[in-house]
């Protein structure tokens, strides 16, 4: 059974589980510099961890910005990808944020664009490089 739990930065056990997933996916697999990955916004973000049989397998966070709510750090361990884990995490984050009546946006890696398109996000603007990976801004359209 898969469950998704939300928490804030003060829950160090869950936060460390999220960090371990992010390190595996972003730092080890994608080669992103740890200084870029750990950007200082974790303390002001709402976090999520997905569990399969109590094993942490996916994570994400969101935070308030000047232009709305920014979804970030969506990551699922490789052996659990393409099993709707990302969608479960996204649905939890949307459930918590849609009611705030703000623009919801993210910077999607090129490999994740179709996933977000299938989940009511639209492309905004042009592609750009972030951490040397091609991204595009996307906004949620209810």
């Amino acid at each position: 059974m898969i469950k998704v739990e939300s928490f804030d930065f003060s829950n160090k056990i869950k936060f460390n589980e999220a960090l371990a997933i992010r390190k595996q996916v972003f730092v080890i697999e994608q080669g992103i510099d740890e200084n870029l990955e750990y950007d200082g916004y974790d303390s002001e973000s709402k976090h999520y961890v997905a569990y399969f049989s109590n094993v942490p397998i996916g994570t994400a966070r969101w935070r308030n910005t000047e232009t709305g709510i920014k979804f970030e750090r969506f990551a699922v361990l490789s052996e659990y990808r393409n099993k709707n884990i990302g969608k479960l995490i996204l649905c939890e984050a949307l459930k918590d944020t849609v009611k705030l009546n703000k623009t919801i946006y993210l910077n999607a890696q090129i490999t994740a664009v179709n996933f977000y398109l299938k989940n009511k996000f639209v492309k905004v603007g042009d592609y750009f490089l972030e951490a040397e990976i091609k991204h595009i801004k996307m906004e949620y359209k209810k």
Side-chain angles (χ1 to χ4, degrees):
M1 180 176 160
I2 296 166
K3 63 180 177 177
V4 178
E5 295 185 14
S6 64
F7 60 95
D8 62 28
F9 184 69
S10 65
N11 188 326
K12 295 303 181 194
I13 292 171
K14 291 193 182 308
F15 181 68
N16 284 330
E17 291 173 339
L19 281 184
I21 296 165
R22 287 166 46 183
K23 182 172 185 172
Q24 178 62 38
V25 172
F26 298 124
V27 177
I28 296 170
E29 286 180 32
Q30 296 183 354
I32 294 172
D33 184 307
E34 282 186 86
N35 293 323
L36 293 175
E37 171 52 30
Y38 310 122
D39 59 4
Y41 293 118
D42 285 315
S43 63
E44 64 189 65
S45 299
K46 181 74 158 185
H47 300 266
Y48 300 85
V49 170
Y51 296 91
F52 175 71
S53 297
N54 295 317
V55 175
I57 60 170
T59 190
R61 75 177 190 196
W62 65 266
R63 63 187 171 93
N64 280 300
T65 70
E66 291 180 5
T67 55
I69 294 169
K70 186 176 184 188
F71 284 9
E72 301 173 309
R73 305 306 193 266
F74 276 81
V76 175
L77 296 176
S78 61
E79 59 269 34
Y80 296 97
R81 290 184 195 141
N82 301 310
K83 298 179 185 337
N84 286 322
I85 310 301
K87 184 171 184 165
L88 291 172
I89 299 168
L90 180 62
C91 286
E92 285 299 310
L94 286 168
K95 185 173 78 176
D96 290 344
T97 54
V98 166
K99 61 189 173 195
L100 301 175
N101 291 318
K102 294 183 178 181
T103 299
I104 298 170
Y105 70 101
L106 52 82
N107 293 337
Q109 289 187 9
I110 186 85
T111 56
V113 168
N114 285 336
F115 167 76
Y116 292 113
L117 287 171
K118 290 176 191 172
N119 287 284
K120 300 184 181 177
F121 282 79
V122 297
K123 297 177 190 176
V124 178
D126 296 320
Y127 287 97
F128 59 92
L129 286 179
E130 187 172 80
E132 299 182 32
I133 297 172
K134 198 172 183 182
H135 286 73
I136 192 163
K137 182 178 179 179
M138 300 184 80
E139 289 183 1
Y140 181 68
K141 299 297 181 192
K142 302 173 198 161

